[in-house]
Amino acid sequence: MVESQSTADGISLTLRDEGATQALAAALAAVLRPGDVLALTGSLGAGKTALARALINALPRPDGSCAPEEVPSPTFTLVQIYERAPAPVWHFDLYRLSDPGEVEELGWEEARAEGIVLVEWPDRLGALLPEDRLDILLFFPEHGGGRIAVLQGGGCWTERLGGLKLDAIEQA
Amino acid sequence: MLSKPLGKQERKSYGDGMIVLGLETSCDETAAAVVEDPPFIRSNLVLSQLDEHRPYGGVVPEIAARSHLDHLDSLIERAMREAGVGFGDLDGVAATAGPGLIGGVFVGVMTAKAIAAARGLPFVAVNHLEGHALTVRLTDGLDFPYLLLLVSGGHCQLLAVEGVGRYRRYGGTMDDAVGEAFDKTAKLLDLGYPGGPAVEQAAAQGDPARFALPKPMLGRPGCDFSFSGLKTAVRLAREGLDSFTGREAADLAASFQASVAEVLADRCRNALRRFAVEYGQPGPLVVAGGVAANAALRARLKTLAEAEGARMLAPPLALCTDNAAMIAWAGIERLRLGVSDPLDFAPRPRWPLEDLTERAPAPASTAAPAPAAARV
């Protein structure tokens, strides 16, 4: 179940279970386009990779089929690329990086030019982090299970945030 | 990419002292090694393990292609010197061509191609995972087939190894790799880096029964893994404590490691039973990759294998973690089957082991083919 609440700071959601994570992923997948950057922030175990996995598998393959595939954690490989429509998804995990310059080695420019970028630990990007981005903050609620997700839009996303079909999801 | 059989006059038969230079630059390590056949490691250098390259205690990953480029030439020179061979003594050059970071892989592959072209030597594009998979044949002379548990920071999979280039995947992780779970657990418990040894050390002092952590996938059919939830459970267990001391860290580390051991044993049991049916023999079970260095996990897997009537083997630690000797050896394995790669072979950042099968040479004489029943 997803509960959402709009605030001046963005949209706050309660993700009670995996189904809610998938519902959020589906809502995001419906509006994604080439060039988009989604920055996933949260501590270890907060669910960044789980949301990225749901999002990648919520997007169709280039041939239009919907076939889920394994989305392993990219912590050690640093980046994984998935062929998806409307654009390839570049899934970065910058946890192990120490210098923003290293991101260039991972194909950051190419990813920005052709793909949809999902990036975990975006703080490692420094000045490379574009203003046009959707920030998704994930954390554990003070009481009870599940996760809290806060969506904040920068640049074009301030408007696009309102177009997210979160009302199709059960709300509190 | 098609493999090119060597011309007749170039072909060397097994056992005449083939010597191959191997290069590994696919991820954090820059490495060069010289290995010969019959199996003998003449030199095996890993940059981060050389004293003069430990500015940060060897913990900062050298992911930059620039770094590989800066160090590879001198490392090759040193590996050749320590091996006591010149380029004229080589029978081939092998380099990791994937999977891995494209920049690093390019440096190794281009260097290997340059040496091969300049010296008229065959070039072998080696799959990094195949390097791990075949190491036990370098160290123990093991015959095919065998069951492989490949567990490292970035990989976690169970495979039936039928021969060079012939792998059948039984299962893999659906989220985190085991080594990654160890590293992140170490971080959550403030145990330092590298996480694997840190957790193992703490666990040795701890009570594995104190915390009831989940054992993901335990008892389920199949050979897949999942470790993400276990990591989160460690975090929640810590947050649920009123005080967190060395005792708590040790007990949580021990509970975590015990869960991992049980899950690995459970998945390997399923794999060993499937392997016994498909290949008509009990194992052996080979454990490779950096996580194989964990003594507690090794002991648990050895007990499991023995209970299933199988042997368990694990290469020595220095050959479990990323190295170039395994790449040189994989090169030898291919060359002695008469297989090398064209100089226009393109590095492959994503390169699952099963994809090798399509370019695999004919099965080696030591490879017992799977019974017909397995080939469905």
Side-chain angles (χ1 to χ4, degrees):
Chain A
M1 200 205 301
V2 175
E3 299 167 7
S4 87
Q5 191 186 349
S6 279
T7 69
D9 297 327
I11 300 172
S12 183
L13 307 165
T14 303
L15 307 178
R16 294 210 184 281
D17 52 29
E18 214 177 311
T21 300
Q22 279 166 6
L24 172 58
L28 290 168
V31 304
L32 285 181
R33 52 196 199 209
D36 279 346
V37 175
L38 270 60
L40 302 167
T41 301
S43 52
L44 285 180
K48 300 180 295 299
T49 306
L51 179 58
R53 180 175 299 124
L55 188 44
I56 289 162
N57 278 325
L59 289 165
R61 305 268 183 144
D63 65 5
S65 69
C66 285
E69 69 179 304
E70 278 183 26
V71 178
S73 161
T75 298
F76 270 74
T77 54
L78 303 166
V79 59
Q80 304 266 13
I81 304 161
Y82 300 88
E83 292 306 324
R84 286 290 187 276
V89 177
W90 290 60
H91 182 194
F92 291 90
D93 183 334
L94 308 183
Y95 181 65
R96 302 197 304 140
L97 291 201
S98 48
D99 179 341
E102 292 173 327
V103 178
E104 303 288 357
E105 300 276 350
L106 305 179
W108 179 254
E109 288 301 322
E110 199 186 340
R112 292 284 291 115
E114 63 151 47
I116 293 168
V117 171
L118 306 182
V119 55
E120 302 184 36
W121 303 95
D123 54 310
R124 310 288 203 272
L125 280 167
L128 284 175
L129 189 63
E131 198 193 314
D132 257 348
R133 67 172 190 272
L134 177 63
D135 277 308
I136 302 176
L137 316 169
L138 289 160
F139 45 91
F140 292 85
E142 223 162 283
H143 302 286
R147 303 289 189 276
I148 307 284
V150 175
L151 277 49
Q152 293 173 331
C156 70
W157 276 100
T158 34
E159 275 188 33
R160 290 171 69 191
L161 209 49
L164 283 179
K165 292 244 183 309
L166 297 169
D167 51 330
I169 300 162
E170 196 178 342
Q171 295 183 30
Chain B
M1 186 64 58
L2 288 173
S3 297
K4 175 180 72 92
L6 295 179
K8 210 163 199 174
Q9 69 274 30
E10 300 166 75
R11 186 190 295 267
K12 289 203 152 206
S13 63
Y14 177 29
D16 65 355
M18 184 185 280
I19 298 177
V20 167
L21 169 68
L23 308 179
E24 162 60 48
T25 54
S26 65
C27 200
D28 297 0
E29 303 284 10
T30 315
V34 177
V35 175
E36 72 175 81
D37 182 32
F40 179 71
I41 299 174
R42 282 182 166 256
S43 65
N44 184 21
L45 299 179
V46 178
L47 187 72
S48 67
Q49 288 166 13
L50 302 178
D51 286 341
E52 63 268 33
H53 288 285
R54 288 180 180 271
Y56 312 104
V59 301
V60 174
E62 292 282 7
I63 62 150
R66 179 85 226 167
S67 166
H68 291 298
L69 194 59
D70 287 347
H71 298 294
L72 189 58
D73 283 356
S74 61
L75 202 67
I76 291 171
E77 207 180 308
R78 189 162 161 183
M80 297 289 286
R81 198 167 59 238
E82 284 191 17
V85 298
F87 286 112
D89 299 314
L90 295 179
D91 296 281
V93 188
T96 301
L101 290 174
I102 190 70
V105 169
F106 241 97
V107 171
V109 166
M110 293 309 291
T111 305
K113 285 177 177 175
I115 296 170
R119 293 284 167 167
L121 294 168
F123 160 72
V124 187
V126 173
N127 179 301
H128 176 84
L129 303 173
E130 179 164 65
H132 281 298
L134 299 177
T135 299
V136 70
R137 288 167 54 78
L138 165 64
T139 56
D140 295 77
L142 191 66
D143 284 343
F144 299 120
Y146 49 87
L147 178 67
L148 176 73
L149 172 67
L150 179 54
V151 275
S152 66
H155 300 283
C156 181
Q157 46 188 312
L158 272 160
L159 299 142
V161 182
E162 295 183 347
V164 176
R166 300 169 62 81
Y167 305 93
R168 292 173 61 234
R169 182 182 163 98
Y170 277 11
T173 185
M174 301 189 299
D175 40 59
D176 298 359
V178 198
E180 177 182 355
F182 268 89
D183 272 335
K184 289 184 171 171
T185 292
K187 179 101 179 165
L188 289 167
L189 300 179
D190 306 326
L191 292 174
Y193 191 95
V199 169
E200 186 179 5
Q201 264 180 19
Q205 314 296 321
D207 171 13
R210 176 161 168 203
F211 296 95
L213 297 177
K215 299 180 177 67
M217 309 300 287
L218 194 83
R220 291 213 213 159
C223 304
D224 285 331
F225 303 87
S226 165
F227 291 104
S228 177
L230 181 55
K231 166 190 72 189
T232 304
V234 168
R235 181 199 167 114
L236 294 173
R238 177 185 171 160
E239 286 174 355
L241 290 169
D242 291 332
S243 72
F244 185 76
T245 66
R247 162 81 5 230
E248 276 68 40
D251 289 347
L252 257 176
S255 303
F256 163 80
Q257 188 172 276
S259 276
V260 172
E262 281 320 302
V263 169
L264 289 180
D266 181 80
R267 308 285 83 195
C268 285
R269 183 185 301 110
N270 285 359
L272 277 166
R273 288 180 181 174
R274 175 173 166 188
F275 187 88
V277 169
E278 293 182 347
Y279 296 90
Q281 64 179 67
L285 171 65
V286 173
V287 186
V291 178
N294 183 299
L297 297 183
R298 259 170 124 120
R300 181 68 190 89
L301 291 170
K302 189 162 189 290
T303 310
L304 179 266
E306 281 166 2
E308 297 293 315
R311 270 200 304 157
M312 190 212 80
L313 298 89
L317 172 58
L319 296 174
C320 279
T321 49
D322 289 351
N323 66 88
M326 68 179 192
I327 303 304
W329 176 254
I332 286 174
E333 291 259 30
R334 290 188 162 260
L335 284 173
R336 69 188 197 189
L337 292 171
V339 177
S340 67
D341 293 285
L343 289 179
D344 63 356
F345 184 96
R348 296 183 59 177
R350 293 185 81 185
W351 193 5
L353 265 182
E354 310 90 283
D355 283 11
L356 275 177
T357 306
E358 68 199 39
R359 64 193 274 274
S365 55
T366 49
R375 302 196 172 277
V376 283

